[in-house]
């Protein structure tokens, strides 16, 4: 073990999904891993102030589920014990999209799990805390990342502890999983380094969520429902998934000022106006268990750290600090877990390097682009709505026509259906759609249209 350690201490900023999974990836290769979290953390699954989005439906894609099991063997059993609801991919969630109400429901051969964000995060946190060399400090707000006078390397962080006193902690590696990446940007500014360029897609998404008890006479044809509006005229949509404790969590929303209100009556009225009645019919006779939570997401953001000549040695932003995805597609937690697996593989590969920590950042940002490419390509579909802000791809109309034809083909062919779900779950890259045989079949569908 001693020969494989690449540093004395790593500090991870933030105990959200990105920070926890990063800590798991680092624990075998550092003497000590310290996680600093600004929120107070409950011993049971609970909402916390630093993740207001956690009150809304969260999806753990199959790629994320597998990544978490790779980082923390036995994780799926943890979810089962916590009451997560198993979902058969392609079968248990009724998908309603224009022209398909519903899309053909087929068992595609694997299980996912539906659970609340606090339950998933709590299961990961328990795994991290069980590592003997990993310590998680709560109510510690990091104020700045510290660096050498010439800015070549990070040396630690300064933070405010739960008593309001300022403390510093040394680190060979600082992972910025604080969410917005403000600490990384502040450090780069303070040492006179350029900031990464950003690509943004302004979507102005507004959504609201409510939790209901699942009634005894609920439909047995599905466990969850996803419904889409008729784009580009109608941006409204909804997602209802089961939760631990025999509950439904329902999130509904729209774009560019067409979001739902924050009162219970308005929530139901908005749900009733969705393109399909399935969600409204289910919840209109169900018992509401809490109030309405609202959230706004202005834009997807991708920061191009890979274009920077060099970052200070030992600084590694991760998760939302690199890329914030439209939550509609449920990619955030899974991409964070996949990034942590990439981090783990790189540390193992670089372990014999003469200066592995110096090599880690450039290697990570070179390889993470491939990981981000497929989920980011989904974000480009937001340009179907005319008020979306940003650089619309030149071939966007062709992309839309190809996607429509691919959907028609997937409705008819279970093998193509499975392939599209594998891409949606980030199990396969979007480049599989360039297979010549598949392209010819999709082009034939386009010609029919």
């Amino acid at each position: 073990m001693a020969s494989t350690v690449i540093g004395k201490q790593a500090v991870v900023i933030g105990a959200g999904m990105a920070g926890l999974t990063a800590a798991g990836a680092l624990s075998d290769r550092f003497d000590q891993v310290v996680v600093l979290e600004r929120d107070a953390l409950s011993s049971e699954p609970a909402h916390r102030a630093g993740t207001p989005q956690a009150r809304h439906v969260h999806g753990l894609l199959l790629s994320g589920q597998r990544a978490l099991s790779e980082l923390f063997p036995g994780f799926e059993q943890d979810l089962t014990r916590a009451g997560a609801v198993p979902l058969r991919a392609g079968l248990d969630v009724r998908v309603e999209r224009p022209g398909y109400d519903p899309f053909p429901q087929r068992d595609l051969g694997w299980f996912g799990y539906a659970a609340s964000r606090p339950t998933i995060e709590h299961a990961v946190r328990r795994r991290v805390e069980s590592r003997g060399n990993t310590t998680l400090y709560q109510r510690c707000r990091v104020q700045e990342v510290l660096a050498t006078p010439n800015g070549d390397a990070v040396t630690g962080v300064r933070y405010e502890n739960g008593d309001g006193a300022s403390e510093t902690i040394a680190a060979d590696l600082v992972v910025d999983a604080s969410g917005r990446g403000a600490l990384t940007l502040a450090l780069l500014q303070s040492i006179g380094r350029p900031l990464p360029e950003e690509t943004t897609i302004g979507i102005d998404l507004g959504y609201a969520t409510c939790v209901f008890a699942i009634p005894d006479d609920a439909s047995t044809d599905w466990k969850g429902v996803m419904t889409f509006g008729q784009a580009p005229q109608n941006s409204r949509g909804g997602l209802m998934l089961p939760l631990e404790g025999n509950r439904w969590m329902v999130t509904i929303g729209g774009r560019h000022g067409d979001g739902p209100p924050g009162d219970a009556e308005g929530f139901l009225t908005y749900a009733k106006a969705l393109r399909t009645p399935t969600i409204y019919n289910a919840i209109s006779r169900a018992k509401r268990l809490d109030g309405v939570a609202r959230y706004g997401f202005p834009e997807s953001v991708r920061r191009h750290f890979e274009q920077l000549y060099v970052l200070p040695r030992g600084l590694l932003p991760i998760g939302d600090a690199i890329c914030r995805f439209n939550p509609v597609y449920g990619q955030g937690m899974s991409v964070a877990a996949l990034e942590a697996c990439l981090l783990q593989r790189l540390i193992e590969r670089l372990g014999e390097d003469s200066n592995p920590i110096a090599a880690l950042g450039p290697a990570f940002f070179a390889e993470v682009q491939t990981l981000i490419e497929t989920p980011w390509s989904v974000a480009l579909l937001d340009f179907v709505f005319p008020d979306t802000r940003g650089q619309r791809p030149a071939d966007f109309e062709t992309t839309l026509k190809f996607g429509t034809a691919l959907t028609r083909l997937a409705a008819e062919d279970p093998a193509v259906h499975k392939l599209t779900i594998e891409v949606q779950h980030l199990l396969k890259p979007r480049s599989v759609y360039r297979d010549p045989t598949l392209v010819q079949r999709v082009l034939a569908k386009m010609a029919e249209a």
Side-chain angles (χ1 to χ4, degrees):
M1 178 66 184
S3 63
T4 65
V5 169
I6 67 169
K8 293 181 179 180
Q9 185 156 270
V11 171
V12 179
I13 306 170
M17 290 297 291
L20 292 171
T21 53
L26 298 172
S27 61
D28 285 344
R29 298 292 176 149
F30 284 81
D31 288 330
Q32 295 291 326
V33 178
V34 175
V35 183
L36 300 174
E37 169 55 47
R38 66 181 182 179
D39 283 341
L41 300 173
S42 172
S43 60
E44 300 295 329
H47 294 291
R48 55 189 181 86
T51 55
Q53 73 275 20
R55 294 184 177 275
H56 305 271
V57 171
H58 273 63
L60 187 59
L61 304 181
L62 187 62
S63 59
Q65 181 180 310
R66 290 179 177 176
L68 288 167
S69 294
E70 180 180 332
L71 292 164
F72 309 106
F75 178 75
E76 290 185 20
Q77 288 79 4
D78 294 347
L79 287 181
T80 300
R81 285 191 291 269
V85 181
L87 297 176
R88 290 168 294 178
L91 186 63
D92 284 340
V93 176
R94 176 185 171 99
V95 178
E96 301 172 335
R97 56 176 60 194
Y100 304 94
D101 292 322
F103 197 82
Q105 289 172 256
R106 307 179 175 110
D107 190 341
L108 298 179
W110 68 78
F111 277 92
Y113 290 91
S116 65
R117 163 69 182 263
T119 291
I120 296 170
E121 189 175 288
H122 180 259
V124 177
R125 190 164 72 239
R126 287 187 63 185
R127 286 282 179 169
V128 171
E129 289 176 322
S130 71
R131 303 278 172 97
N133 66 335
T134 302
T135 308
L136 196 161
Y137 293 108
Q138 54 183 308
R139 297 175 62 231
C140 292
R141 182 183 293 271
V142 176
Q143 296 167 315
E144 65 174 325
V145 179
L146 305 174
T148 56
N150 61 8
D152 284 350
V154 300
T155 59
V157 303
R158 182 171 62 84
Y159 66 95
E160 183 182 276
N161 65 24
D163 296 324
S166 180
E167 295 189 33
T168 60
I169 184 171
D172 301 305
L173 177 71
V174 174
V175 176
D176 183 0
S178 60
R180 306 285 177 128
L183 292 162
T184 289
L185 300 183
L187 173 62
L188 294 178
Q189 285 183 311
S190 71
I191 61 177
R193 300 284 180 88
L195 301 182
E197 292 186 5
E198 295 183 353
T199 300
T200 61
I201 302 175
I203 59 175
D204 299 325
L205 178 66
Y207 53 99
T209 296
C210 209
V211 177
F212 299 85
I214 299 178
D216 294 336
D217 59 349
S219 173
T220 56
D221 295 333
W222 44 261
K223 292 183 180 180
V225 180
M226 180 184 296
T227 184
F228 297 90
Q230 179 69 61
Q233 301 90 348
N234 178 8
S235 70
R236 292 188 180 190
L239 176 59
M240 179 169 71
L241 289 180
L243 294 181
E244 62 278 6
N246 198 40
R247 299 172 295 162
W248 280 326
M249 178 175 274
V250 182
T251 295
I252 52 178
R255 303 170 187 237
H256 307 295
D258 192 23
D263 63 288
E265 182 179 350
F267 185 92
L268 285 175
T269 300
Y270 192 97
K272 190 174 185 179
L274 294 173
R275 189 185 59 81
T276 58
T278 311
I279 289 178
Y280 173 76
N281 288 344
I283 64 175
S284 62
R285 53 191 173 81
K287 179 182 179 182
R288 182 170 55 84
L289 298 178
D290 66 357
V292 178
R294 300 175 76 198
Y295 193 70
F297 186 89
E299 59 186 10
S300 303
V301 181
R302 182 176 181 179
R303 291 196 178 113
H304 297 279
F305 285 101
E306 77 281 4
Q307 296 176 359
L308 296 181
Y309 176 70
V310 65
L311 282 174
R313 184 177 69 253
L315 174 65
L316 191 71
I318 202 169
D320 283 0
I322 304 172
C323 198
R324 296 182 67 216
F325 299 99
N326 181 344
V328 162
Y329 306 118
Q331 300 162 328
M333 293 192 300
S334 296
V335 171
L338 290 167
E339 289 176 0
C341 285
L342 170 61
L343 177 60
Q344 186 178 59
R345 290 195 300 272
L346 289 175
I347 291 174
E348 291 171 357
R349 192 172 81 202
L350 298 170
E352 303 305 318
D353 192 278
S354 60
N355 195 339
I357 293 177
L360 183 59
F364 180 81
F365 285 111
E367 297 197 26
V368 80
Q369 303 313 311
T370 301
L371 192 159
I372 289 174
E373 203 57 49
T374 291
W376 186 256
S377 69
V378 177
L380 296 174
L381 299 178
D382 290 328
F383 284 104
V384 69
F385 298 104
D387 290 334
T388 300
R389 303 183 307 278
Q391 184 63 47
R392 182 185 174 104
D395 61 347
F396 186 69
E397 293 302 326
T398 301
T399 300
L400 282 184
K401 291 177 182 177
F402 186 93
T404 299
L406 180 64
T407 298
R408 291 176 60 203
L409 189 61
E412 299 169 5
D413 187 336
V416 177
H417 184 192
K418 183 177 181 179
L419 181 67
T420 62
I421 296 299
E422 287 172 330
V423 173
Q424 289 172 21
H425 280 259
L426 308 182
L427 295 171
K428 291 184 177 178
R430 196 171 179 83
S431 58
V432 297
Y433 293 155
R434 295 199 290 267
D435 174 76
T437 302
L438 179 62
V439 169
Q440 288 303 314
R441 295 181 67 191
V442 174
L443 291 177
K445 282 293 175 189
M446 292 171 68
E448 289 177 15

